[in-house]
Amino acid sequence: PGMVVSIDPDRVGKLRIATKAYDRTVAGIISGADGVAPGLVLGQKGTVADGEHPIANVGRVWCYVDADAGGPVTPGDLLTTSITPGHAMKVSDHSISGGAILGKAMSRLESGKGLVLVLVTLQ
């Protein structure tokens, strides 16, 4: 829970931990970090629409962020994928962020790695 995931281009319907900055295949955040349970889970057992983990692609969830990768995070900052596996970072280059935005930070992280509350709005 809290890890950022992207679409796996090698396995139809599957996701993988995000590992590159500004990844346009970003799919969401694994729900459940810091005690926030999924509000609604969509899927269909036995099909490619089924998954091992609930993925937030809308709503508020805690997400692992690397503030050393993109700079200090403050509420309202746009977040994208980071080279740190499973972590987000603050968007610093808006010219390449289209299609790679996870959402907006709702809490702070001055430095290092930690959990940030995110309003997930994939863009």
Side-chain angles (χ1 to χ4, degrees):
M3 300 292 266
V4 179
V5 292
S6 295
I7 295 166
D8 186 337
D10 300 322
R11 300 181 309 146
V12 174
K14 300 295 182 183
L15 302 173
R16 62 182 179 187
I17 297 296
T19 59
K20 68 179 189 176
Y22 297 93
D23 186 352
R24 290 183 183 205
T25 66
V26 66
I29 303 164
I30 300 175
S31 295
D34 208 23
V36 177
L40 176 66
V41 178
L42 301 175
Q44 186 177 4
K45 295 284 183 198
T47 71
V48 295
D50 191 16
E52 193 175 328
H53 304 285
I55 306 300
N57 54 25
V58 67
R60 289 175 291 208
V61 296
W62 290 96
C63 176
Y64 284 103
V65 173
D66 184 347
D68 294 336
V73 175
T74 59
D77 285 342
L78 292 175
L79 299 174
T80 187
T81 57
S82 165
I83 61 167
T84 306
H87 287 62
M89 68 178 183
K90 179 170 82 172
V91 169
S92 57
D93 187 346
H94 293 276
S95 70
I96 61 171
S97 67
I101 293 175
L102 272 166
K104 288 188 175 189
M106 297 183 75
S107 64
R108 298 179 184 281
L109 183 63
E110 295 297 324
S111 63
K113 297 175 184 75
L115 288 171
V116 169
L117 187 61
V118 176
L119 177 61
V120 182
T121 52
L122 296 176
Q123 300 173 35

